[in-house]
């Protein structure tokens, strides 16, 4: 897929908007495939890693994977900000390439600074890994974070097939190579880390080459400039609000489990963790690619104040996301008891029943949270990072405080209500902010999107009630 010398990204967006339905379906399918790759590795290969490595070594692997997911969010906001800025730029000149390189430079400086701190921590805390293993873990995190920034840049330029293919192949190859290495070389933590590092570096290298080709403008001179450290530092400071936003989001999504395990019991955590997994995984897999597909066009339309293109982008974005979020959610909520029983079987302590009960509480709030992709994209497009950071911080502190109080009362059910409220309130506040920012504009995209979403939800609710009434009548 080669770049064409067009007048601007806006023209490129219109060209993409006029592309064939087959092409659009292929692009969305590839984004979905890139998400399912990680799920396949988690479902099929993680149990094999557990069997091969044993409980002690796999516990360290689980910790590595948890930190990996956390650090991909805590990338100083570089992936989000670079994706937003590149989507808003013309393809003339070196701006997009320079932005991507600045984001990469920030991450390189960050991980270079982490090396001495990690070394001192290893020496003082007697960490359960050797120093070479610890440095290998840092290289792994660096490579995956750099690859994630390149992924955001490709998505911002509408190269969905390239981005999805690189992600899908990279995840699957990394999982399979690691599994084969543990089988044929040695079932050890060192082999696991070495396999992950080698594959991550290869995936990052491929993504880097793709980005260089896709972000260069055919109408501009060669981009042989050097990025100055001062410019990268300024770019990092620009993303500090996004860093706080990511930190708060990671804390609120992970510390609830720590609080339940510490203040109630690890046994009480199991059904809550499974219910959260049952609620969050389908929505993240289904709604995430829709947001990735429409986000670059929405951001570009906001950046150049193209009202017509904004209307054309927001209509299908809102419709598809609402249907993708609400229809599976409704089906899962109605079938939560048989699905939990089929998934978990006859586990001791009636866990299947608890999972179904907790799912019934969490799911409506999490479904409303999935609709938060819509105001989130608008706020990113408007660069309203400070509000997102402040809102996320306040909600995180309130949610975790309430969760700790409920855990002291030994009530997991109350914690489920707290998190359902958190997801719903986060979406409503984000949407209210979008509507407020457009209060003086002639055309209010956020209010229109909210109205469309409400109508679609009401129609789906009416169809569900009508279907149930018809079944009872028949």
């Amino acid at each position: 897929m080669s770049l064409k010398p067009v007048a601007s990204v806006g023209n490129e967006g219109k060209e993409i908007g006029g592309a064939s339905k087959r092409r659009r379906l292929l692009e969305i399918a590839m984004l979905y495939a890139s998400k399912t790759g990680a799920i396949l590795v988690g479902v099929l290969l993680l149990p094999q890693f557990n069997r091969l490595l044993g409980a002690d070594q796999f516990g360290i692997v689980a910790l590595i994977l948890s930190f990996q997911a956390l650090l991909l969010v805590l990338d100083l906001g570089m992936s989000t900000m670079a994706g937003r800025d590149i989507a808003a730029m013309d393809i003339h000149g070196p701006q997009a390439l320079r932005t991507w390189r600045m984001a990469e430079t920030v991450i390189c400086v960050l991980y270079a600074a982490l090396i001495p701190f990690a070394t001192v921590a290893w020496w003082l805390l007697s960490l359960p890994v050797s120093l070479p293993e610890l440095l290998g873990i840092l290289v792994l995190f660096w490579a995956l974070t750099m690859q994630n920034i390149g992924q955001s840049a490709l998505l911002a330029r509408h190269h969905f097939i390239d981005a999805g293919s690189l992600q899908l192949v990279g995840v699957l190859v990394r999982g399979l190579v690691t599994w084969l290495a543990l089988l044929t070389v040695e079932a050890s933590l060192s082999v696991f880390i070495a396999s992950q590092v080698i594959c991550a570096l290869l995936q990052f290298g491929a993504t880097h080459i793709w980005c260089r080709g896709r972000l260069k403008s055919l109408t501009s001179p060669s981009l042989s400039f050097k990025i100055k450290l001062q410019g990268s530092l300024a770019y990092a400071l620009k993303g500090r609000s996004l860093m706080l936003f990511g930190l708060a989001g990671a804390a609120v999504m992970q510390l609830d489990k720590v609080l339940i395990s510490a203040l109630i019991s690890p046994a009480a955590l199991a059904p809550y963790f499974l219910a959260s997994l049952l609620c969050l995984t389908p929505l993240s897999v289904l709604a995430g690619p829709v947001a990735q597909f429409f986000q670059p066009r929405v951001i570009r339309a906001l950046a150049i104040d193209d009202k017509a293109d904004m209307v054309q982008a927001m209509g299908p974005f809102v419709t598809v996301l609402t249907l993708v979020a609400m229809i599976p959610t409704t089906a899962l909520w109605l079938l939560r008891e048989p699905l939990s029983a089929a998934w978990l079987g006859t586990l001791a302590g009636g866990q299947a029943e608890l999972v179904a009960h907790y799912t019934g509480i969490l799911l409506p709030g999490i479904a409303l949270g999935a609709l938060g992709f819509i105001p989130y994209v608008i706020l990113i497009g408007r660069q309203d990072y400070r509000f997102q950071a402040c809102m996320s911080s306040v909600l995180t502190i309130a949610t975790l405080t309430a969760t700790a109080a409920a855990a002291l009362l030994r009530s997991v059910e109350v914690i489920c209500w707290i998190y359902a409220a958190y997801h719903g309130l986060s979406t409503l506040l984000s949407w209210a902010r979008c509507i407020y920012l457009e209060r003086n504009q002639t055309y209010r995209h956020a209010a229109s999107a909210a109205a469309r979403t409400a109508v679609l939800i009401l129609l789906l609710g009416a169809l569900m009630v009508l279907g149930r009434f018809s079944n009872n009548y028949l």
Side-chain angles (χ1 to χ4, degrees):
M1 182 174 165
S2 61
L3 283 174
K4 298 179 180 180
V6 294
S8 68
V9 179
N11 290 338
E12 184 186 22
K14 289 183 173 66
E15 180 180 320
I16 291 174
S20 66
K21 290 183 179 180
R22 181 179 299 180
R23 177 74 178 184
R24 285 172 176 263
L25 289 174
L26 179 60
E27 290 171 340
I28 295 177
M30 187 53 68
L31 290 176
Y32 276 114
S34 68
K35 293 285 186 182
T36 57
I39 295 175
L40 288 174
V41 170
V43 171
L44 299 178
L45 292 182
L46 282 184
Q48 299 301 318
F49 295 163
N50 187 14
R51 180 181 63 83
L52 291 168
L53 291 169
D56 292 338
Q57 289 192 109
F58 185 75
I60 300 174
V61 167
L63 189 61
I64 292 171
L65 295 177
S66 298
F67 272 103
Q68 173 184 310
L70 179 63
L71 288 174
L72 284 179
V73 176
L74 302 179
D75 61 354
L76 303 181
M78 289 299 103
S79 60
T80 299
M81 196 163 63
R84 184 266 164 208
D85 292 346
I86 291 171
M89 290 173 180
D90 290 343
I91 66 170
H92 286 306
Q95 293 88 351
L97 192 66
R98 183 183 294 117
T99 297
W100 167 60
R101 285 177 171 174
M102 282 197 300
E104 284 197 330
T105 301
V106 170
I107 297 303
C108 290
V109 172
L110 170 65
Y111 276 88
L114 284 177
I115 291 175
F117 287 102
T119 304
V120 171
W122 174 83
W123 182 65
L124 292 176
L125 302 178
S126 300
L127 297 177
V129 293
S130 66
L131 184 58
E133 288 173 342
L134 179 62
L135 296 177
I137 292 169
L138 281 179
V139 173
L140 172 64
F141 293 165
W142 169 81
L144 291 175
T145 304
M146 296 281 277
Q147 192 275 333
N148 197 42
I149 292 173
Q151 183 90 354
S152 297
L154 290 173
L155 291 172
R157 277 292 193 242
H158 302 271
H159 297 300
F160 303 114
I161 296 176
D162 291 349
S165 300
L166 287 165
Q167 181 69 4
L168 175 63
V169 173
V171 169
L172 290 179
V173 168
R174 191 164 73 249
L176 288 172
V177 168
T178 301
W179 176 53
L180 291 174
L182 292 175
L183 281 174
T184 58
V185 180
E186 182 186 19
S188 67
L189 184 63
S190 296
V191 170
F192 174 86
I193 294 172
S195 303
Q196 290 277 304
V197 168
I198 291 170
C199 293
L201 287 173
L202 290 173
Q203 184 184 7
F204 162 60
T207 304
H208 186 87
I209 293 171
W210 246 263
C211 282
R212 284 183 61 87
R214 296 300 187 251
L215 297 183
K216 279 186 177 180
S217 170
L218 298 181
T219 59
S220 63
S222 176
L223 302 177
S224 58
F225 58 87
K226 293 183 179 180
I227 302 173
K228 294 181 179 179
L229 187 60
Q230 184 178 0
S232 298
L233 177 60
Y235 201 66
L237 292 175
K238 183 181 176 183
R240 62 186 181 276
S241 294
L242 282 174
M243 180 180 64
L244 181 59
F245 175 65
L247 178 62
V252 78
M253 295 305 295
Q254 299 299 329
L255 292 184
D256 56 333
K257 302 167 187 64
V258 175
L259 291 172
I260 292 173
S261 179
L263 300 180
I264 303 180
S265 70
L269 172 61
Y272 174 81
F273 174 79
L274 292 170
S276 299
L277 186 66
L278 184 61
C279 293
L280 286 169
T281 300
L283 286 173
S284 63
V285 170
L286 292 170
V290 175
Q292 286 180 326
F293 182 80
F294 286 100
Q295 179 172 322
R297 187 175 175 187
V298 171
I299 287 175
R300 178 61 185 165
L302 287 172
I304 64 175
D305 196 23
D306 189 337
K307 296 181 176 59
D309 198 38
M310 183 68 176
V311 172
Q312 291 177 4
M314 287 299 295
F317 177 30
V318 172
T319 300
V320 174
L321 184 65
T322 303
L323 294 177
V324 161
M326 301 310 297
I327 292 177
T329 297
T330 302
L332 180 58
W333 192 86
L334 292 173
L335 300 173
R336 62 191 182 278
E337 293 181 358
L339 284 175
S340 298
W343 181 35
L344 300 174
T346 56
L347 290 180
Q351 281 194 345
E353 290 80 3
L354 278 176
V355 168
H357 179 60
Y358 295 159
T359 298
I361 299 171
L362 285 167
L363 195 55
I366 290 176
L368 187 57
L371 298 177
F373 276 118
I374 299 169
Y376 169 79
V377 169
I378 296 174
L379 291 175
I380 290 295
R382 298 191 180 281
Q383 302 185 76
D384 195 21
Y385 305 139
R386 185 175 181 181
F387 167 80
Q388 290 178 295
C390 292
M391 180 196 73
S392 185
S393 299
V394 171
L395 285 180
T396 294
I397 293 171
T399 300
L400 291 178
T401 301
T403 298
L408 289 172
L409 296 174
R410 307 183 67 81
S411 177
V412 177
E413 181 177 342
V414 172
I415 294 174
C416 290
W417 284 109
I418 291 169
Y419 268 80
Y422 162 77
H423 288 289
L425 188 58
S426 175
T427 294
L428 294 175
L429 289 175
S430 296
W431 226 313
R433 176 64 173 179
C434 290
I435 294 172
Y436 173 78
L437 291 176
E438 295 178 347
R439 64 193 182 281
N440 296 324
Q441 297 183 9
T442 55
Y443 194 91
R444 301 181 180 182
H445 304 290
S448 177
R452 179 187 286 262
T453 303
V455 169
L456 287 170
I457 292 174
L458 289 174
L459 286 175
L460 289 173
L463 289 174
M464 186 176 68
V465 171
L466 182 61
R468 175 164 292 190
F469 176 78
S470 299
N471 289 335
N472 292 338
Y473 181 75
L474 295 173

